Amino acid sequence: MKIILISLDTLRASRLSSYGYAKRTSPHMDQIARDGVLFEQAYAADIPTEVAHTGVFTGKIGLTTGAVSHGSDLTQLPKSVEWLPNILRSAGFTTAAVDNMYQLKEWFARGYNYYINSVGGNRWIDGSTVNKLALPWIDQHKDESFFLFLHYWDAHTPYLPPESYIPEFYDSAKDPYDPRNKSMEPAYNHSAYPFFKHHHYDLVGEVTDSDYYDALYDAEIRYLDDRLKELDDHLAKLGIQDDTLLVLFGDHGESLTEHDIYWDHCGLYEPTVHVPVIMRWPGRMPEGRRASGLVQQVDLLPTLLEAIRKEAPNGIDLSKLKDPTGLDGRSLWQTIDGSSEGTHETVYLSECAWQAARGIRTDRYKFIRTYDAGPFTRPPRELYDLSVDPEEQINLADTEPALAEAFELELEDWVQRKLHGRQDPMVVQLEERGLPFRRRIEQILAGAGMTWDEWKSNPDRAQFDEAANKHSHSK
């Protein structure tokens, strides 16, 4: 038995053809979905990358593990917390990863016989790099029961797809650098600009058309899709495709200008928390199944463990594959086989990087409680009826105060139940360190001789660029 778990970093569900997008971004992922199971309402309970993946590999949400904040030096994961690669290795699987999250936190390398760090000479990792490392490893271990984790970053900023992928998604008659187009001004004059200037805008160039950025994102997905086809074709060539349980998931999505978020993954809105989850296991899972109920990423760990117990592969010690205690995730198998549509009636959401907020997603409603808006302007409470307002434009918190209050009380009760008397790690983070990404902006501003308060009162791109240039020349 082979398991390949694939993280598609920053992949937004609604930008895939199989999730209803009109453009042809994902033909091979669509084929995988037709050959397997697609979960229409899969959610990232904790965002962004660091906390989302911690949830995947523990089967537990951030409030349970304490990992709620991305990029914080306060976050630790004790070795006593059960970890999927450790569990599988102890049962007899050969475990491997092509990944770079060890750069973020040491626990992402736990449990692997082979941890192949995808960070190389170039700062940005593309799917070709991942495949160049992964395919030879698969060749060498194709006759073993293995668990392989692959982490593709193509949909993450900066969007730098090969030039040949862009024309399919951007009108060649348009000029993305036309100075008469002012659609990029809100992004360039945003409080988060100092961070994205270095990590994104300077790398792409003086783009003036915001549609071009959206097109670059689509082109990155299309490029990623071809890399997944390359991987899948290799499995078929080796004759192990039918023996491989393939799992694709997005760790979080991406906002493309919605809610004042410009090509980034913060905010508990649908573009960022609604993610793709697609599975294929020939002969063991139904073909073309589309599950419509709520599921979340922490469901993946118990699902994989149950899959192994069902298969009972030779040489694997099934006694080592019991579900860890205290899981927040639930096995997806009843949803896979059609006896249910989902695993949760409610998904609780959390972020603590650019902003600090928690939320509730039910089949109909989204409630968001913001504690620190960081570089954004947010009301403390947001309530959306997604059945009539899927783009979350009409905040009902003031017009439906009783409903908003009921959701807030439910959220507070859920937090206390999960904490079991422990300190709230989000409160600790805000009190002791503040928001990690605001701290990054403050460091960048300090390098330009500016303070956060000065910048926040007037986030003018020209002002920052001038200050940054003067400061660099004075060194």
Side-chain angles (χ1 to χ4, degrees), residues 42-288:
Y43 282 83
D46 295 278
I47 62 168
T49 301
E50 187 179 308
V51 289
H53 285 91
T54 301
V56 168
F57 287 114
T58 60
K60 299 175 182 180
I61 59 168
L63 261 184
T64 302
T65 63
V68 300
S69 187
H70 177 93
S72 170
D73 61 348
L74 294 178
T75 304
Q76 301 297 327
L77 188 74
K79 291 186 177 179
S80 58
V81 177
E82 293 186 85
W83 188 251
L84 179 62
N86 272 332
I87 295 169
L88 298 183
R89 186 178 65 177
S90 70
F93 279 87
T94 301
T95 56
V98 178
D99 178 36
N100 68 316
M101 286 191 295
Y102 179 70
Q103 314 293 116
L104 297 175
K105 289 289 188 295
E106 58 79 21
W107 60 77
F108 289 114
R110 290 178 188 171
Y112 291 110
N113 299 106
Y114 304 87
Y115 186 88
I116 306 167
N117 197 326
S118 52
V119 171
N122 295 324
R123 181 177 180 183
W124 308 113
I125 302 160
D126 69 21
S128 292
T129 300
V130 174
N131 283 357
K132 284 175 185 176
L133 297 170
L135 301 191
W137 188 91
I138 295 171
D139 289 344
Q140 295 162 15
H141 300 275
K142 63 182 175 61
D143 297 323
E144 304 169 25
S145 288
F146 67 69
F147 169 78
L148 175 62
F149 172 62
L150 302 178
H151 193 169
Y152 292 87
W153 287 83
D154 300 279
H156 195 288
T157 53
Y159 310 145
L160 298 171
E163 289 287 331
S164 61
Y165 283 82
I166 300 173
E168 185 174 353
F169 304 101
Y170 189 74
D171 184 353
S172 59
K174 295 178 68 178
D175 177 7
Y177 307 99
D178 184 349
R180 296 169 297 177
N181 192 325
K182 305 298 181 184
S183 58
M184 283 295 296
E185 291 305 304
Y188 286 150
N189 296 295
H190 191 276
S191 298
Y193 169 75
F195 178 87
F196 289 107
K197 169 183 167 58
H198 172 67
H199 289 280
H200 196 175
Y201 301 139
D202 282 356
L203 296 166
V204 179
E206 288 291 323
V207 174
T208 59
D209 184 4
S210 65
D211 288 345
Y212 185 65
Y213 266 102
D214 291 357
L216 292 178
Y217 181 71
D218 287 346
E220 285 281 22
I221 297 171
R222 186 65 183 81
Y223 172 75
L224 167 65
D225 192 75
D226 278 352
R227 305 289 72 73
L228 295 174
K229 185 178 187 304
E230 184 177 71
L231 168 70
D232 214 8
D233 288 347
H234 194 70
L235 298 179
K237 184 183 76 172
L238 294 177
I240 62 172
Q241 190 181 57
D242 287 350
D243 192 36
T244 300
L245 168 53
L246 187 68
V247 180
L248 312 179
F249 73 92
D251 65 334
H252 51 73
E254 186 83 320
S255 289
L256 310 171
T257 76
E258 299 94 345
H259 294 277
D260 197 33
I261 304 165
Y262 299 95
W263 308 289
D264 192 47
H265 29 274
C266 61
L268 300 178
Y269 307 106
E270 291 294 284
T272 302
V273 296
H274 179 210
V275 295
V277 172
I278 301 170
M279 299 182 183
R280 185 194 68 203
W281 197 13
R284 289 85 158 180
M285 286 183 177
E287 295 183 14

Side-chain angles (χ1 to χ4, degrees), residues 12 22 31 45 91 94 100 112 171 184 187 294 351 385 461 465:
R12 164 178 169 165
Q31 185 59 55
T94 301
N100 68 316
Y112 291 110
D171 184 353
M184 283 295 296
L294 293 173
E351 66 172 324
D385 183 348
R461 176 196 190 190
D465 288 349

Side-chain angles (χ1 to χ4, degrees), residues 399-412:
T399 56
E400 298 280 356
L403 186 57
E405 184 66 22
F407 274 122
E408 181 151 17
L409 290 173
E410 179 185 346
L411 186 62
E412 290 173 354

